[in-house]
Amino acid sequence: WEVDPFLDEWPQINAEFQLQIPGVVELQNGWVLQVKEIEDPLATLRGTFDNPDPYQAWMELSGEQNHLLIRGRVAGDVFKPLGMGGKKMKLSDFMVNVKIPRYARAGWPLICVGDEIAWIPGFRLAHPFRLGRGGIGKVIHLRVYRR
């Protein structure tokens, strides 16, 4: 099993955490996840199209979705990447396709709503949680950064 001496270059997690909105969670190796609710979703929607930072995302939660979970991957995980029209793919295939190093995959933080993966920091938001779906949900901003 290959271990990368640069593993701390990527966000990693070794336990599950419930996320509070707003809230901050300390990840491993000095990485941090910050979550906050957006007060002006329309202004946010306009600004997200030019987002150059893959370690931040905006998502829309429907009225009953108030609990976020951050966890590592689990065997059998599937993901509905934004841009695929809601079609799902195996999380393992997605991670290979975007070239997450094998040794970083198990501890890569996944932001989930219920059993569904909503965001893979650094890569892609899930289709069901995109902004502008026409719902009247709450809009949240997520950001992963290094201290």
Side-chain angles (χ1 to χ4, degrees):
W1 180 41
E2 185 181 345
V3 175
D4 184 353
F6 302 107
L7 191 58
D8 65 344
E9 293 298 315
W10 293 290
Q12 293 285 288
I13 190 165
N14 62 5
E16 284 189 2
F17 297 98
Q18 290 288 330
L19 295 176
Q20 300 298 318
I21 304 169
V24 175
V25 172
E26 297 284 333
L27 306 178
Q28 290 180 264
N29 306 321
W31 288 84
V32 176
L33 169 67
Q34 179 182 40
V35 184
K36 63 182 180 178
E37 187 170 352
I38 299 299
E39 298 299 323
D40 186 358
L42 284 177
T44 298
L45 183 60
R46 288 188 291 274
T48 60
F49 295 112
D50 297 323
N51 175 29
D53 184 359
Y55 286 98
Q56 70 175 346
W58 292 262
M59 72 170 65
E60 187 173 319
L61 301 175
S62 64
E64 71 274 0
Q65 297 168 325
N66 285 316
H67 301 291
L68 298 178
L69 176 73
I70 181 169
R71 65 170 175 83
R73 73 178 183 172
V74 175
D77 269 341
V78 294
F79 178 55
K80 297 176 183 173
L82 187 61
M84 288 185 52
K87 294 181 181 148
K88 60 185 164 185
M89 68 185 304
K90 291 182 191 175
L91 178 63
S92 58
D93 290 345
F94 179 83
M95 289 181 150
V96 168
N97 291 348
V98 298
K99 299 179 176 31
I100 295 176
R102 177 174 298 165
Y103 38 78
R105 293 176 196 159
W108 202 273
L110 305 172
I111 310 306
C112 302
V113 176
D115 294 333
E116 199 166 3
I117 297 170
W119 182 46
I120 301 174
F123 295 96
R124 192 95 43 96
L125 188 67
H127 185 82
F129 299 96
R130 70 196 184 283
L131 295 183
R133 299 185 321 238
I136 308 180
K138 112 173 53 174
V139 174
I140 61 170
H141 176 246
L142 301 112
R143 180 173 167 240
V144 173
Y145 61 94
R146 192 119 188 234
R147 282 206 193 275

